[in-house]
Amino acid sequence: MKYSFEEGMEKLEQLVTQLEGGALPLEEAFKAYHEASELYKSLAAMLDQGEAKILEIMKAGQKDITEDVLE
């Protein structure tokens, strides 16, 4: 399932709470751990993409500033 970042964080928090509670049967705990692991990777990738976009915008802004100064 595809989540927005905020939805993914909420789901990850739910999974972690369930796992920390220790009440899940072993098989369900394995499934929850696997889902949490995959979700964590997906959220980390979203953050990496966001960081790359911010850096790109910052670099573009610096070029604009430099061009204004040189003119």
Side-chain angles (χ1 to χ4, degrees):
M1 181 175 204
K2 190 83 171 171
Y3 294 103
S4 70
F5 183 80
E6 292 78 10
E7 292 169 335
M9 283 297 297
E10 186 175 320
K11 180 64 176 175
L12 183 58
E13 289 174 6
Q14 290 171 359
L15 291 167
V16 169
T17 299
Q18 289 176 344
L19 289 165
E20 288 178 341
L24 291 176
L26 186 60
E27 190 64 33
E28 286 184 41
F30 286 147
K31 288 178 184 178
Y33 180 83
H34 178 71
E35 184 178 356
S37 177
E38 293 300 312
L39 191 50
Y40 173 81
K41 290 176 194 174
S42 175
L43 293 171
M46 286 182 194
L47 287 176
D48 289 344
Q49 291 171 355
E51 182 180 18
K53 286 180 184 178
I54 290 170
L55 291 173
E56 185 178 313
I57 291 167
M58 289 174 62
K59 286 179 184 177
Q62 288 174 351
K63 287 179 186 173
D64 293 342
I65 292 170
T66 304
E67 289 172 5
D68 290 343
V69 171
L70 294 176
E71 292 179 349

